[in-house]
Amino acid sequence: MLTVDFSRFPLAAGDRVLDLGCGAGRHAFECYRRGARVVALDRNGDEIREVNKWFAAMKEAGEAPAGATATAMEGDALALPFPDASFDVVIISEVMEHIPDDKGVLAEMVRVLKPGGRIAVTVPRYGPEKICWALSDAYHEVEGGHIRIYKADELLRKMTEAGLKPYGTHHAHGLHSPYWWLKCAFGVDNDRALPVRAYHKLLVWDIMKKPAATRVTEQLLNPVIGKSFVAYATKPHLPEDAAK
């Protein structure tokens, strides 16, 4: 289930990509399939080990084109272990809402991104997220949980202040907002509630089968109750006189 829309966020074979806070690796895997040279980074060692296993399995199965590479590593988003201008593309999906120093993370991403490079940032959308917080304290008051809710203009302002030039936005996962509202209403750790189980089956069916009915429904719901807000930006080139 991808949050970044690669039709709006072009990726070329051979691009060096950083998936920052990669989690289970969904965007890193897609970039690898598209022929990129991928580095997936996360602070969770268990997830990194799993992502590396999947990278190896994908290579063995021939899922990645010749020339594509992929590695997963532990690291700190506030102190990235890479030189300046190391990456053509940076993706950070559903991570910034967890980190107190979000401006510091943006600064590090801009530092390692090449001039002319592209960045995709996704965070929970303000409206659906506010409902989750109102329904359940347990949804966000956990260690490592969500510490803020972004308004779209706030995130875009912070990206601009960090030196990026936003060029596009959209919302994603409209079918998923009602699921999380149900989870919050019945208990975030209560997977036995009938409405939660039934809706989860619907989501699994949608992800596995991609039926036209749910695909069209989600496209209609995304602008209204899409769970995620997605912003795309570039790092401008320095003027020639400033680069000397």
Side-chain angles (χ1 to χ4, degrees):
M1 184 186 72
L2 299 174
T3 307
V4 172
D5 181 351
F6 286 94
S7 69
R8 310 181 195 218
F9 188 66
L11 187 69
D15 276 350
R16 191 151 192 250
V17 177
L18 172 63
D19 184 2
L20 181 56
C22 64
R26 57 200 172 105
H27 288 104
F29 300 149
E30 181 64 20
C31 293
Y32 189 31
R33 291 187 187 99
R34 290 171 178 260
R37 296 173 292 154
V38 182
V39 176
L41 184 143
D42 201 283
R43 64 184 299 178
N44 186 315
D46 291 337
E47 289 196 309
I48 287 300
R49 283 185 283 275
E50 283 299 310
V51 170
N52 267 323
K53 288 179 183 177
W54 279 105
F55 281 151
M58 290 171 68
K59 181 178 181 179
E60 181 70 21
E63 290 189 38
T69 61
T71 187
M73 60 185 293
E74 290 185 59
D76 183 354
L78 289 166
L80 295 174
F82 310 111
D84 296 356
S86 297
F87 294 93
D88 303 289
V89 173
V90 176
I91 296 171
I92 184 166
S93 183
E94 311 298 305
V95 173
M96 287 181 57
E97 67 276 8
H98 297 272
I99 301 176
D101 186 8
D102 58 346
K103 290 183 178 180
V105 173
L106 279 167
E108 272 294 89
M109 289 191 291
V110 172
R111 180 184 68 80
V112 302
L113 186 64
K114 295 178 181 178
R118 303 170 303 285
I119 188 167
V121 180
T122 92
V123 297
R125 185 182 185 175
Y126 184 82
E129 185 76 348
K130 284 284 283 187
I131 293 173
C132 287
W133 282 45
L135 288 171
S136 171
D137 289 338
Y139 170 79
H140 64 98
E141 291 182 356
V142 295
E143 185 178 356
H146 298 184
I147 63 170
R148 71 173 64 82
I149 307 175
Y150 287 101
K151 290 185 177 180
D153 58 354
E154 174 195 3
L155 179 61
L156 293 172
R157 174 178 54 78
K158 288 185 176 182
M159 292 172 67
T160 300
E161 290 173 350
L164 295 167
K165 185 177 180 180
Y167 70 83
T169 65
H170 65 90
H171 299 98
H173 309 317
L175 285 175
H176 288 250
S177 289
Y179 172 72
W180 282 103
W181 297 338
L182 288 170
K183 288 271 288 180
C184 290
F186 286 93
V188 290
D189 296 320
N190 178 14
D191 293 324
R192 293 187 175 186
L194 179 59
V196 174
R197 287 191 289 118
Y199 205 101
H200 184 262
K201 287 183 179 180
L202 170 67
L203 293 179
V204 171
W205 176 66
D206 171 59
I207 291 169
M208 299 301 295
K209 300 297 185 181
K210 297 181 174 60
T214 54
R215 293 297 80 222
V216 171
T217 299
E218 180 149 88
Q219 289 301 312
L220 294 172
L221 288 176
N222 280 343
V224 184
I225 58 169
K227 184 74 168 64
S228 295
F229 174 69
V230 188
Y232 305 111
T234 58
K235 178 179 177 178
H237 288 276
L238 289 173
E240 287 188 12
D241 55 349
K244 292 179 181 179

